[in-house]
Amino acid sequence: MNKYISDLCSFLDSSPVNFWAVETTRRRLEAAGFSALDMRHNWQIVPGGKYYITKNGSAIFAFVAGTAAPGEGGFHLVAAHSDSPGFRIKPHCEMLCDGGVVKLNTEVYGGPILYTWFDRPLSIAGRVMLRSDNPLEPACRLLRIERPLLVIPDLAIHFNRAVNDGVKLSKQKDMLPVLALGCDDAAGLVRATVAAELGVEAEEILDYDLSLYITAPAQTTGLNGELICSGRLDDLSMVHAGLTALLENADKPSEHTRVLAIFDNEETGSGTKQGAASPVLEHILRRITMALGGSETDYMRAVAQSFMISADNAHGFHPNYGEKYDPTNHPALGAGPCIKVNANCKYMTDADSAAVFARICEIAGVPCQYFVNHSDVAGGSTLGNILTSQIPLRGVDMGAPLWAMHSACETASTADHVATIKAFSTFFGM
Ligand code: ZN
């Protein structure tokens, strides 16, 4: 298997939810000599230095300071997101049912394809907040239960003969996972399980952000291994591509300050302190400029000469549903990363930024293609245009094409992933 693809599989497997995607990224940055900066402190940074900042434990921003000050060299950015659609565990989540069956009360996060979560072994991952001496600073522990713990069982076809004609699913009734059998009392079962896993007393747990995840690992498929199937390819495949490209170039000097920006909560509209609609990246870019001796004017000069690649997956042409796609711009899996274009500015791409990305791909020696919506089909939005409301950056929205976006198991092309890394690496190597 190609080294980038086996590395992508291990990245996906070690990143079951947003907090773990950030932790996996953080560990790789640390291993490559990046040092942590804290937003609460003053920063001491030097040209050529490698740094990162986390926000809420679910967003991460890494940069290599340019040999030129930002006012002279500008920023080269790749942005992507850490979150994926799925299910969050509610407080007071245990529900004891007839026969001692315990199911969990969950809430849907973002827009998953609900039925793809049926009948698969699931487990729990996220973060747990523990009692500490300072009420304003609870201790935080990441949790990932590796063994399968849950399943959302579908209804037998004998109870719904029309199931293959399409079923309307209730998020509150149909999608609740089963945790255990034979229980008399369910209250506190999740807390006790989490406490045992972390090796703490249940009373220490103040709260949690826990989600379900699918325990099946990422796998390649296709006659020649040309496809990869995994949960969370949107957008962790782009996170992996951006991170890999940054690490490949981090020790090569560049006058540009290279930035990898991984936001949270893209799937719910980016409207949190760690999301792309907040000023978090703007604060970071401004502080990098100032910490390297620049002025407010230098920051604005830096923004004016920067370029951002906003990387979020595109919809690849599906052989069973050709009618859903634009007649002349339907990207094929395996034919390279896609420039995403929308006349109503749902994407930040324009002819200028598309031209830049097309040239980057040309120099990288990889193909690139266009994604445009069928004019009667409303498309999604992504990070790029949301970010530009905070920072007037020049940039392009792009992404490798996927099938079954927001399925519990999405499918992409291995060749496209390698091509995307090469394009990002060329960009960061400039
Ligand atoms: Zn996405």
Side-chain angles (χ1 to χ4, degrees):
M1 198 190 292
N2 176 290
K3 65 169 181 171
Y4 288 128
I5 301 305
S6 54
D7 192 58
L8 170 63
C9 289
S10 78
F11 185 86
L12 290 162
D13 293 344
S14 56
S15 307
V17 297
N18 53 348
F19 296 105
W20 280 100
V22 165
E23 177 62 9
T24 304
T25 302
R26 193 190 70 76
R27 287 179 188 176
R28 289 183 173 207
L29 291 166
E30 282 277 347
F34 282 68
S35 6
L37 295 173
D38 190 321
M39 290 293 270
R40 295 171 296 188
H41 302 153
N42 283 319
W43 293 355
Q44 307 293 334
I45 61 180
V46 294
K50 303 182 285 187
Y51 309 93
Y52 71 89
I53 302 105
T54 58
K55 180 79 173 170
N56 189 51
S58 62
I60 189 164
F61 305 87
F63 67 95
V64 182
T67 52
E72 309 304 323
F75 298 103
H76 279 188
L77 302 108
V78 171
H81 65 89
S82 64
D83 60 321
S84 314
F87 296 85
R88 295 280 169 95
I89 299 175
K90 288 181 178 176
H92 303 292
C93 55
E94 299 90 353
M95 302 169 83
L96 185 61
C97 310
D98 260 10
V101 176
V102 180
K103 61 182 184 180
L104 295 191
N105 194 7
T106 59
E107 187 170 15
V108 170
Y109 175 81
I113 304 176
L114 294 175
Y115 67 81
T116 62
W117 284 75
F118 282 128
D119 306 325
R120 295 167 181 268
L122 305 171
S123 198
I124 293 173
R127 71 170 172 183
V128 182
M129 309 314 289
L130 303 174
R131 208 171 281 282
S132 76
D133 294 338
N134 182 350
L136 284 172
E137 298 287 345
C140 176
R141 292 275 302 277
L142 288 187
L143 173 79
R144 177 190 184 175
I145 300 183
E146 300 215 2
R147 66 186 185 281
L149 269 189
L150 303 133
V151 64
I152 308 172
D154 204 350
L155 182 67
I157 194 167
H158 312 81
F159 296 124
N160 182 5
R161 297 282 182 188
V163 63
N164 293 326
D165 302 328
V167 183
K168 186 165 168 44
L169 295 171
S170 157
K171 294 168 185 166
Q172 188 63 67
K173 173 180 165 53
D174 297 307
M175 304 310 301
L176 302 187
V178 171
L179 174 67
L181 304 180
C183 292
D184 300 324
D185 181 12
L189 203 52
V190 165
R191 234 162 233 265
T193 306
V194 168
E197 196 72 24
L198 294 178
V200 302
E201 298 298 321
E203 296 69 38
E204 297 295 302
I205 298 173
L206 294 168
D207 210 331
Y208 52 71
D209 288 316
L210 293 175
S211 301
L212 307 184
Y213 78 93
I214 288 168
T215 54
Q219 283 182 296
T220 56
T221 183
L223 185 61
N224 300 300
E226 57 269 67
L227 298 170
I228 176 167
C229 290
S230 172
R232 311 175 299 283
L233 283 171
D234 170 16
D235 192 28
L236 297 189
S237 62
M238 295 297 98
V239 173
H240 175 262
L243 176 63
T244 304
L246 183 69
L247 295 181
E248 280 182 351
N249 289 280
D251 295 322
K252 297 176 194 159
S254 167
E255 60 178 4
H256 315 293
T257 294
R258 290 159 288 181
V259 182
L260 176 69
I262 309 302
F263 296 92
D264 193 9
N265 304 122
E266 191 277 340
E267 299 294 353
T268 56
S270 298
T272 59
K273 63 191 182 301
Q274 60 275 6
S278 83
V280 59
L281 180 62
E282 193 257 319
H283 287 183
I284 289 169
L285 298 186
R286 190 183 292 269
R287 289 194 59 181
I288 294 171
T289 308
M290 307 275 172
L292 288 165
S295 64
E296 182 65 25
T297 304
D298 291 326
Y299 167 68
M300 292 182 187
R301 290 176 59 223
V303 169
Q305 60 191 298
S306 294
F307 193 87
M308 177 168 70
I309 297 176
S310 160
D312 199 355
N313 295 91
H315 300 297
F317 183 76
H318 193 306
N320 297 347
Y321 303 96
E323 72 282 3
K324 297 285 186 190
Y325 294 80
D326 181 66
T328 61
N329 298 284
H330 40 265
L333 262 65
C338 309
I339 297 169
K340 298 155 78 169
V341 178
N342 180 266
N344 294 299
C345 310
K346 288 261 169 54
Y347 301 132
M348 74 190 301
T349 310
D350 53 22
D352 166 55
S353 61
V356 171
F357 190 73
R359 277 287 285 146
I360 290 169
C361 288
E362 192 177 281
I363 294 163
V366 301
C368 99
Q369 39 188 350
Y370 281 92
F371 173 82
V372 189
N373 282 307
H374 183 292
S375 299
D376 298 328
V377 178
S381 160
T382 180
L383 300 164
N385 65 324
I386 292 173
L387 267 170
T388 52
S389 66
Q390 293 292 334
I391 317 171
L393 283 167
R394 187 172 167 231
V396 64
D397 267 306
M398 58 70 65
L402 279 187
W403 287 328
M405 188 179 286
H406 294 189
S407 169
C409 184
E410 300 164 328
T411 300
S413 144
T414 51
D416 290 342
H417 189 66
V418 174
T420 303
I421 292 172
K422 285 185 178 162
F424 290 177
S425 196
T426 300
F427 174 58
F428 277 142
M430 284 172 167

